[in-house]
Amino acid sequence: MGLDGTDAFAANAENDEKARACVDPARGASLLWVWAQEWLERRVIGESTRRNNEGFVRNHLVPRLRTKPLAGLARRDFEKFAKDIHGCGAGLAAATVNDRMVLVAAVLEAAVVDKRIPDNPARGILISRRDALAVDEDELPTPTEVDLIAEHIAPQYRLTDYLQSGTGQRPSEALAFSVECRRPRLRQGPLAVQRQGPPSGLPDGLLAP
């Protein structure tokens, strides 16, 4: 037999009380950034992912929530945190902020499982992606400016300059391209990224003005 609204509320309240009774206040006194570092050290992840996560904790989480103990965190702290790292101070893109908040929520969820806090105040906090700004065409480099950039950077990065300006690739995608990725007798069309690393050379004709 299902519970009505009053009974369901009472049951949830009772469960919350039980969860709080199981929490050790002393363990909840750990600072968030200390717990986050301990959590990262225990994770089995790739080295590049570890460096990326540690950089986020060091550059964003620590400066803003350094003095906050786990038990002293509220949902509003993480709502403000997400807004701050998306704002003019840090300027992270909405998609990046949401990706990082999934990480933060995982850190707090581990604290719940470890009986340090009764619930996860960071769970489900995301920011809207509807406020993306349109590209200002006046800020896009002209073909002449692209050529000028290519003339003044190291030869191994000239291909990256043209790939980004002509295809809109991200820096990591353009840097992963090399001459081995070019298909025979094909100078236009999709480019398949086959291996990571800086470009090892320039395809003939691709960079001709």
Side-chain angles (χ1 to χ4, degrees):
M1 182 176 180
L3 298 176
D4 60 24
T6 303
D7 291 339
F9 178 82
N12 289 335
E14 182 179 356
N15 291 335
D16 288 345
E17 285 300 319
K18 290 180 179 179
R20 292 180 184 281
C22 295
V23 170
D24 183 353
R27 291 164 66 80
S30 299
L31 296 180
L32 170 62
W33 72 272
V34 174
W35 171 252
Q37 289 184 330
E38 293 177 1
W39 179 81
L40 283 173
E41 290 173 0
R42 295 197 302 269
R43 294 192 71 199
V44 181
I45 53 179
E47 189 58 33
S48 61
T49 300
R50 184 178 302 281
R51 288 197 302 269
N52 185 285
N53 291 344
E54 289 176 345
F56 170 73
V57 170
R58 180 176 60 254
N59 298 325
H60 298 290
L61 198 64
V62 170
R64 291 170 175 81
L65 295 172
R66 181 182 184 87
T67 62
K68 288 281 188 176
L70 291 171
L73 291 162
R75 189 171 183 82
R76 62 178 176 274
D77 293 316
F78 293 104
E79 290 173 341
K80 183 177 186 303
F81 174 73
K83 182 178 179 181
D84 286 347
I85 63 176
H86 179 51
C88 57
L92 298 182
T96 301
V97 172
N98 291 340
D99 180 67
R100 295 297 183 266
M101 289 309 300
V102 171
L103 171 66
V104 173
V107 171
L108 271 294
E109 196 64 36
V112 173
V113 173
D114 205 45
K115 307 299 183 184
R116 293 174 180 268
I117 51 177
D119 49 38
N120 184 347
R123 184 186 296 127
I125 294 180
L126 302 173
I127 62 173
S128 172
R129 301 177 62 177
R130 294 176 298 176
D131 298 330
L133 299 177
V135 175
D136 185 350
E137 294 187 1
D138 291 335
E139 295 183 359
L140 296 176
T142 65
T144 300
E145 291 171 332
V146 172
D147 289 336
L148 186 62
I149 293 172
E151 290 175 5
H152 289 81
I153 61 176
Q156 66 267 33
Y157 297 117
R158 289 175 186 163
L159 176 58
T160 301
D161 174 39
Y162 285 95
L163 283 174
Q164 286 191 261
S165 65
T167 67
Q169 289 183 333
R170 298 182 179 91
S172 59
E173 294 170 336
L175 285 169
F177 186 83
S178 69
V179 291
E180 291 85 356
C181 299
R182 187 183 59 170
R183 298 177 183 177
R185 298 179 300 279
L186 182 63
R187 298 201 177 187
Q188 294 181 345
L191 302 176
V193 175
Q194 298 176 347
R195 67 183 181 89
Q196 294 183 340
S200 59
L202 307 178
D204 294 338
L206 182 59
L207 303 187

